[in-house]
Structures are given as structure tokens and as C-alpha cells.
Amino acid sequence: MSPLTARTRFAVLDRSRTREGRPPGEALRDTVRLAQEAERLGYHRFWVAEHHGVPGVAGSAPTVLAAAAAAATRTIRVGTGGVMLPNHRPFVVAEQFGVLESLFPGRIDMGLGRSVGFTDGVRRALGRGKDDADRFAGQLAELLGWFAGTSATGAHARPAEGLTVPPFVLAMGEGAAVAARAGLPMVIGDLRDRDRMRRGIDRYRETFRPSPWAPEPYVVVSGTVAVAATPEAARRLLLPEAWSMAYARTRGTFPPLPPAEAVEARPMTAKERDFYEAGLAGHITGTEEQVADALETLLKETDAQEVLVTTSTYDRAALTDSYRRLARVVTGAGA
């Protein structure tokens, strides 16, 4: 382990991806089991995501799933990556995280994003429109106000008021500027466009305003990392997600993950093939030695304090093995 890697935190985000032929509930139980494994391997935090009406993702209620992961673990930090604030009333979000922090004191993170529903139908079901994302900065300020007890409404968020739940902003587009102005830690991805990532990080650091939540910039870089005994095996882990993304880009719905061998046998149109190949490019993959070198380069390029790994694949045993191998590289655990 290099000195640069040793001083960097490593964390896991699991998106509860469903698999062809398997029930959605299994994906949620797999997420909880992975939280337990991440704790055993020494990862710093474990996060879950929010998606609505998506066939390929079971995680539609991140605070509920975070509660299950926290209850199944003892020491690892647990949170959301993230709760999509435009979909919710900030008062209710404050209450939910207040309950989580009260149940699992000192272990809860509040990752927050500005995205709205994936399709027009989902947005209608949520009672939201695309423009609601533009209200994110105001909603964020309102949410933090509930913890501080400064709401002008005269109401109080119980048991959130007076508690400290670390907030993080998922920096998709405008999110980096919002994080900097609010003085909050920022999570930025993905690894496939390093130039864009570095520009976002530079803007965030240049415009950061210290706050009670963070006295200085804190950068979490997020993306796919796949580790296996051979480069070919590591790349194979990426096939199901790359195919599902290509399918979503060309057909408008994000499907469950197929097995890698099924992906290899499926015909694709030229457009699908282009999206598929793009989905395989730019990630950190390979053997432990290759991944160690790639992570060293990433950390030198970004000077990030933390790496959030978001890998998804059909083969859960191979995914767990990848995290174990990665832990050997970055935490010294998993041997």
C-alpha cells in the first residue's frame, strides 16, 4: 500500500441492482450482506442509492435500506448516495435522518442529490417536474436549517434538531457549485471523464466557503473499480452493467443485469454496440497490482480525500471477491 493510498478513505456504494431471473427482494438482501462484508474488510462507509420505478434497481427507499444496513453492522458508517432532495420535503428528510442518527449514533451520513425521476411517468407519480432540480440549493439550506432549529415556520424536526448528521452533495453538474457555496463535502463522478472531473473539483475548491459542516473542501471521487485474478476476468465484471446501460440509452428503460455470458451471446445494433463499448471504457479494472497503480494515478490527479466505489455486476460472488481484492490493496484487509 502506497502512502498516498494509505491516507485515503475508501467506501462502497451499492445500488441494489436486480438480476435477470431473480426477485427484487434478493437484491436488497444482497446489499445488506455486502454492507457486512464491507465492514469486515475495513471500508470507511457504506452507502445506498435512490431510484424510482426502475426495473433494474430495487433500492427505492434509501433511508429504509440504510436502516437495515446499519442494523446489520456495528462500526462502519452508513448513509445514502443519495437521497434525491427534489423528490421530498426537506422537513421529512430531516426527520428520517434524525431517526437514523438516534438509532445509530455517530454512524450515519446524509448524501444528497438534485436529480428527479428517471422518466416523465415517474416524475408525475412523484408529483415533480424536471425544473424541481433547480430548487435544490434552497431545499438543501432548508434541510440543514431543520437540524440547526432555525426554521422560520416555528415547527421543529424531531428528533433531528440539535443532531449532527454529516451532509454530502452529489455533484452532478450544478451540484459542485451548490456544495462549494454551502461549504459541504462533495461527491463527484465518474472516472471515465477525468478532465471533466478535475475541472469540477478545481471549481469546487476555488469557490468553497467554509461552514460549520466543513471548514475546508472535502472531495470524494466516485466510480467503478473491478479487481480480479486476471485483467480479462476483471473486465468481464463490467459486461452486465455496460449492456444494461446501452439498453437504457437506446430503449428508454433500465433493465435487470444479465449474466456476462448472456451479454456475450446477445446481438446488438450498431448504436447499442457503441454505447456498450463506451460503457466498458475508462473504469479502473485489472489485477490488484494494476488497480493499485491506477488508483495512485487517480489520487495524484484529483488529490481526493476519499474514493467511493460503485461497482455493479450480475455475479455477486465475483463482486464480493473484487471488493476483497481491492481491500487488500487499500486497507490491507481481505487476505
Side-chain angles (χ1 to χ4, degrees), residues 218-271:
Y218 188 92
V219 174
V220 183
V221 293
S222 175
T224 295
V225 181
V227 198
T230 65
E232 294 76 20
R235 185 179 184 276
R236 207 158 188 267
L237 287 172
L238 307 181
L239 302 188
E241 182 79 1
W243 181 85
S244 291
M245 288 295 295
Y247 188 97
R249 292 287 185 89
T250 53
R251 307 192 190 190
T253 184
F254 199 57
L257 295 173
E261 56 271 22
V263 173
E264 292 170 325
R266 286 181 181 176
M268 299 184 200
T269 65
K271 189 174 183 180

Side-chain angles (χ1 to χ4, degrees), residues 2-311:
S2 74
L4 185 55
T5 302
R7 68 171 183 255
T8 304
R9 291 169 169 169
F10 283 81
V12 175
L13 167 65
D14 193 67
R15 289 180 292 135
S16 304
R17 293 286 275 111
T18 59
R19 298 182 289 168
E20 281 188 358
R22 313 297 298 182
E26 184 176 81
L28 299 173
R29 292 186 289 273
D30 285 341
T31 292
V32 174
R33 283 190 286 266
L34 185 59
Q36 294 173 316
E37 184 68 10
E39 178 176 77
R40 189 183 73 80
L41 293 171
Y43 288 98
H44 180 64
R45 62 180 103 241
F46 184 88
W47 282 4
V48 297
E50 175 181 339
H51 296 273
H52 297 285
V54 180
V57 183
S60 56
T63 53
V64 176
L65 186 52
T73 53
R74 294 176 54 251
T75 58
I76 194 170
R77 298 195 65 85
V78 175
T80 57
V83 166
M84 296 299 126
L85 199 49
N87 293 336
H88 310 280
R89 292 298 306 166
F91 179 68
V92 175
V93 174
E95 290 180 323
Q96 291 172 344
F97 279 97
V99 169
L100 283 171
E101 176 63 21
S102 298
L103 290 171
F104 310 102
R107 292 180 55 206
I108 300 301
D109 298 322
M110 186 168 58
L112 305 162
R114 65 188 293 272
S115 297
V116 290
F118 186 63
T119 65
D120 288 338
V122 169
R123 287 190 289 272
R124 286 196 299 272
L126 290 169
R128 298 293 185 267
K130 287 183 178 181
D131 292 344
D132 283 297
D134 298 334
R135 299 168 48 236
F136 176 64
Q139 288 184 310
L140 179 62
E142 180 185 343
L143 172 61
L144 299 181
W146 290 115
F147 286 93
T150 57
S151 172
T153 64
H156 298 271
R158 308 292 188 195
E161 188 172 308
L163 297 180
T164 300
V165 182
F168 295 74
V169 173
L170 275 61
M172 302 299 180
E174 179 63 18
V178 172
R181 288 195 298 269
L184 299 181
M186 176 186 73
V187 183
I188 188 166
D190 60 40
L191 303 180
R192 291 175 295 179
D193 192 342
R194 298 291 178 86
D195 289 339
R196 183 182 179 189
M197 175 185 280
R198 284 193 296 268
R199 289 194 300 271
I201 292 172
D202 289 344
R203 285 194 299 271
Y204 166 72
R205 289 188 172 127
E206 289 165 2
T207 58
F208 182 86
R209 301 174 183 173
S211 76
W213 298 97
E216 58 189 25
Y218 188 92
V219 174
V220 183
V221 293
S222 175
T224 295
V225 181
V227 198
T230 65
E232 294 76 20
R235 185 179 184 276
R236 207 158 188 267
L237 287 172
L238 307 181
L239 302 188
E241 182 79 1
W243 181 85
S244 291
M245 288 295 295
Y247 188 97
R249 292 287 185 89
T250 53
R251 307 192 190 190
T253 184
F254 199 57
L257 295 173
E261 56 271 22
V263 173
E264 292 170 325
R266 286 181 181 176
M268 299 184 200
T269 65
K271 189 174 183 180
E272 285 174 332
R273 177 66 62 178
D274 287 344
F275 282 125
Y276 174 70
E277 295 295 341
L280 292 172
H283 306 292
I284 293 179
T285 67
T287 64
E288 290 168 37
E289 294 78 10
Q290 290 170 324
V291 166
D293 290 342
L295 286 172
E296 185 86 359
T297 299
L298 172 68
L299 295 173
K300 288 177 179 176
E301 290 177 348
T302 63
D303 198 26
Q305 287 95 336
E306 188 167 339
V307 177
L308 178 66
V309 183
T310 63
T311 311

